[in-house]
């Protein structure tokens, strides 16, 4: 399945930030493009544009400023070096991982943990508002935005053995009034489900367990862990089932002062009250896990700070006809 991703960032980009992008290319992929852009449109300016090219096994770095492409950087590594070895693992149909560290004068780019080159920063970092992933993409697995300086955030997270379908970290705590808009298509086994999790401080403890379960249940379970022992509370199941297999949905999550608020495709759905004081201070993004053979094609995650702590009117951002650029 060919897909794309386009999402707006949660906060301005600054020196010391790190982006972590994981994606799987098509089996016959020629290239995958990753843009750090001024907005989500196809012709937007980009302070950094990465082209993962399978023919020639290269990662080309460039920028588009004022509508004009800038000189590209395409280092040819020593054939015996580590860079050459990691580039040789660029194979169509496989998962690749890109890291971008924002330095004071350059972007530092790594593939699979191995540096592959740099590119000069030629404009204000605050101009970067969105990330796009296009061309020969089969699945987007991670679009994480983190901070390494002055204090790493979120904290280093260990592998808990769960096969996460998608992750989206943010580099600073959420404020009341923040809205997250997830656009995705559920497909595959209609008897499965997916779980959207907000964990506390990178631990296994879930502040929110949002679990749509398809056939035969057709219920959205909301829950959270009651203690570090990871025992769940009493489930909440009210609200009906607003998801349809093989049909795109937009889920807006309002992070209000006292509760998570949900809306799907323009209509308010339900809420889930925070179970800890200052709950937003310990949340740093979300993970999605799929169960029972269901799959989820994530095509966008948009962040929007409304400035309204109650998130009043947040449901409009889940309307399919409303987009955040």
């Amino acid at each position: 399945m060919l897909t794309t991703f386009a999402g707006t960032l949660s906060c301005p980009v600054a020196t010391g930030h790190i982006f972590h992008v994981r994606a799987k290319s098509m089996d016959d992929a020629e290239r995958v493009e990753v843009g750090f852009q001024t907005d989500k449109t196809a012709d937007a300016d980009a302070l950094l544009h990465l082209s993962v090219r399978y023919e020639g096994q290269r990662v080309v770095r460039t920028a588009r400023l004022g509508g004009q492409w800038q000189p590209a950087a395409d280092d040819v590594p020593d054939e015996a070096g580590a860079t050459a070895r990691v580039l040789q693992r660029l194979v169509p149909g496989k998962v690749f991982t890109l890291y971008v560290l924002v330095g004071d004068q350059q972007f530092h780019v790594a593939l699979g943990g191995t540096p592959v080159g740099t590119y000069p920063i030629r404009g204000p970092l605050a101009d970067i508002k969105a990330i796009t992933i296009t061309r020969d993409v089969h699945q987007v697995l991670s679009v994480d935005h983190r901070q390494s300086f002055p204090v790493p955030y979120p904290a280093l997270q260990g592998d808990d053995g769960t096969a996460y379908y998608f992750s989206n970290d943010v580099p600073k705590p959420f404020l009341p009034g923040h809205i997250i808009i997830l656009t995705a298509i559920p497909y595959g086994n209609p008897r499965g489900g997916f779980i959207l999790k907000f964990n506390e401080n990178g631990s296994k403890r879930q502040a929110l367990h949002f679990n749509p379960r398809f056939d035969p249940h057709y219920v959205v379970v909301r829950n959270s862990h009651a203690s570090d022992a990871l025992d769940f509370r009493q489930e909440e199941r009210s609200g009906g089932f607003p998801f349809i297999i093989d049909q795109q949905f937009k889920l807006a999550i309002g992070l209000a002062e006292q509760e998570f608020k949900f809306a799907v495709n323009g209509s308010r759905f339900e809420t889930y009250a925070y179970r800890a004081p200052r709950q937003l201070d310990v949340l740093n993004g979300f993970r999605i896990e799929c169960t029972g053979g269901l799959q989820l094609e994530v095509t966008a995650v948009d962040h929007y700070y409304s400035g309204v702590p109650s998130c009043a009117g947040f449901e409009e951002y889940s309307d399919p006809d409303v987009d955040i650029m």
Side-chain angles (χ1 to χ4, degrees):
M1 178 184 294
L2 185 66
T3 190
T4 61
F5 179 93
T8 54
L9 300 177
S10 64
C11 67
V13 177
T15 300
H17 284 195
I18 293 176
F19 292 93
H20 169 223
V21 174
R22 290 180 67 236
K24 182 179 181 181
S25 62
M26 301 291 290
D27 290 341
D28 58 351
E30 296 180 358
R31 65 177 63 180
V32 173
E33 314 280 357
V34 181
F36 296 81
Q37 304 184 176
T38 56
D39 62 50
K40 298 193 298 182
T41 59
D43 58 353
D45 279 359
L47 265 69
L48 179 65
H49 182 93
L50 302 177
S51 181
V52 179
R53 301 187 181 181
Y54 291 91
E55 183 178 358
Q57 296 175 313
R58 301 175 293 160
V59 179
V60 178
R61 289 95 59 202
T62 186
R64 181 162 55 190
L65 304 175
Q68 301 296 315
W69 287 108
Q70 305 300 299
D74 182 14
D75 299 338
V76 179
D78 178 356
E79 292 185 359
T83 304
R85 290 195 295 272
V86 73
L87 288 171
Q88 288 168 4
R89 295 200 290 270
L90 268 180
V91 178
K94 302 294 184 181
V95 173
F96 67 87
T97 302
L98 284 171
Y99 292 93
V100 177
L101 169 64
V102 182
D104 53 358
Q105 296 183 356
Q106 300 184 97
F107 296 105
H108 300 263
V109 182
L111 178 67
T114 299
V116 295
T118 62
Y119 196 77
I121 299 173
R122 293 188 163 128
L125 291 173
D127 286 352
I128 301 176
K129 302 291 180 58
I131 293 181
T132 63
I133 307 171
T134 57
R135 294 290 294 261
D136 303 327
V137 187
H138 172 68
Q139 181 185 356
V140 177
L141 297 160
S142 298
V143 182
D144 293 324
H145 181 187
R146 300 167 179 159
Q147 174 180 279
S148 64
F149 176 85
V151 178
Y153 190 91
L156 182 63
Q157 301 178 50
D159 183 3
D160 64 3
T162 302
Y164 287 111
Y165 222 76
F166 183 81
S167 68
N168 186 247
D169 286 338
V170 298
K172 56 193 292 188
F174 294 111
L175 295 174
H178 193 105
I179 302 168
I180 301 171
I181 305 98
L182 169 70
T183 305
I185 302 172
Y187 67 100
N189 189 345
R191 298 182 69 83
F194 68 89
I195 306 168
L196 188 150
K197 305 177 182 180
F198 282 85
N199 288 19
E200 296 186 358
N201 281 332
S203 70
K204 295 182 181 179
R205 181 167 174 167
Q206 297 175 39
L208 174 67
H209 180 99
F210 184 89
N211 178 201
R213 301 175 185 176
F214 289 75
D215 185 32
H217 308 287
Y218 297 110
V219 65
V220 180
V221 173
R222 284 95 59 201
N223 210 333
S224 59
H225 285 143
S227 69
D228 290 337
L230 307 185
D231 49 318
F232 278 106
R233 306 174 191 273
Q234 183 69 34
E235 294 180 347
E236 296 183 9
R237 292 176 166 235
S238 59
F241 194 75
F243 302 97
I244 301 175
I245 197 76
D246 294 326
Q247 290 192 22
Q248 179 176 282
F249 66 82
K250 286 182 71 176
L251 167 66
I253 305 172
L255 306 179
E257 295 168 292
Q258 302 295 330
E259 61 188 358
F260 297 97
K261 294 184 174 183
F262 309 102
V264 180
N265 296 339
S267 298
R268 183 170 298 198
F269 173 59
E270 270 291 354
T271 64
Y272 187 78
Y274 301 148
R275 299 305 201 263
R278 302 184 64 86
Q279 182 71 86
L280 295 184
D281 290 353
V282 296
L283 304 185
N284 42 49
F286 66 89
R287 301 280 188 272
I288 295 177
E289 175 188 349
C290 291
T291 62
L294 186 94
Q295 299 183 67
L296 201 65
E297 180 187 357
V298 178
T299 60
V301 175
D302 292 304
H303 291 268
Y304 178 72
Y305 179 63
S306 67
V308 181
S310 68
C311 293
F314 83 104
E315 57 268 21
E316 71 174 287
Y317 298 104
S318 72
D319 190 305
D321 296 326
V322 174
D323 199 8
I324 296 175
M325 301 307 294

